[in-house]
Amino acid sequence: AYPGFGGMQAPVVNPHIPYIGEIQGGLQPGKMITIQGFVIPGADRKPGLFGIMYEECWFHVNLQCGASTQPRADIAMHFNPRLMAGVVVRNCLQNQAWGAEEKPHGPFPFAMGQNFEMIILTEPDKFKVAVNGQHFIEFRHRIPFQRVNTLAIDGKVQIQAIRFDSGL
Ligand code: 9QG
């Protein structure tokens, strides 16, 4: 509980990246997580197919089932903008294995050196992600959303604020 936030989780302001933190109370339909950030220009090494490293300006937002790194916690939704490729890859990590990537989306909404705001809405059957005030993608649940309790963010991104809203 946090005074002035009706028992909701306090906003997380200017977190260090990589960020990993609890989603208090987990997820329920109607719950929204709003992330305000800035894409840091430049490239970093990222593991690609067969673990081969390549240069990309990337970041990811993971909705995870715990924070374990060994074995790796399941990831209900990995949301991974890749700025050089101009694609946002979405996937799920289950039993330490990636599933099928979902890549189709409309116009790429992120740009190096620009701010963005994304909202992740939990619905009974899917997550909906809006970027900069416009619906962007849907991601059908492969792992029950009830198992998600952790938010992890890494990559070439600065985060100004993370807000949690029960939707009630
Ligand atoms: O590349 O693709 C998403 O399908 C993999 C990447 C992996 C994910 C995955 O190596 O990268 O983006 O958490 C990870 O392992 C990140 C850094 C086929």
Side-chain angles (χ1 to χ4, degrees):
Y2 187 87
F5 288 93
M8 282 302 293
Q9 181 167 3
V12 174
V13 177
N14 295 323
H16 179 263
I17 302 297
Y19 170 78
I20 184 149
E22 190 192 354
I23 302 169
Q24 289 173 25
L27 297 179
Q28 303 82 35
K31 184 146 176 181
M32 288 193 281
I33 301 174
T34 302
I35 299 169
Q36 283 178 267
F38 170 84
V39 182
I40 300 170
D44 259 352
R45 288 161 70 72
K46 173 165 170 71
L49 276 183
F50 314 114
I52 295 169
M53 304 298 287
Y54 70 107
E55 294 280 314
E56 180 50 289
C57 177
W58 62 274
F59 70 94
H60 65 228
V61 175
N62 291 342
L63 296 177
Q64 304 195 169
C65 310
S68 173
T69 53
Q70 219 164 4
R72 243 181 126 174
D74 286 351
I75 302 173
M77 181 173 71
H78 169 75
F79 181 94
N80 173 212
R82 300 177 184 181
L83 280 283
M84 290 162 65
V87 66
V88 179
V89 172
R90 292 87 68 193
N91 207 343
C92 167
L93 185 86
Q94 235 170 331
N95 303 317
Q96 310 207 68
W98 289 110
E101 294 184 340
E102 298 181 24
K103 285 181 170 173
H105 57 67
F108 188 77
F110 299 99
M112 291 189 212
Q114 283 196 23
N115 289 308
F116 64 87
E117 180 181 83
M118 61 182 273
I119 302 177
I120 304 170
L121 169 67
T122 300
E123 292 195 338
D125 56 333
K126 60 184 176 292
F127 296 115
K128 285 168 77 169
V129 181
V131 180
N132 299 333
Q134 294 220 43
H135 174 69
F136 182 54
I137 57 98
E138 298 184 354
F139 188 83
R140 291 192 72 80
H141 298 310
R142 303 185 206 169
I143 290 177
F145 66 81
Q146 293 89 344
R147 289 188 50 215
V148 173
N149 56 15
T150 302
L151 176 68
I153 303 175
D154 197 4
K156 292 203 81 68
V157 71
Q158 282 169 10
I159 299 299
Q160 292 127 16
I162 308 170
R163 294 192 169 73
F164 303 87
D165 185 334
S166 73
L168 298 178

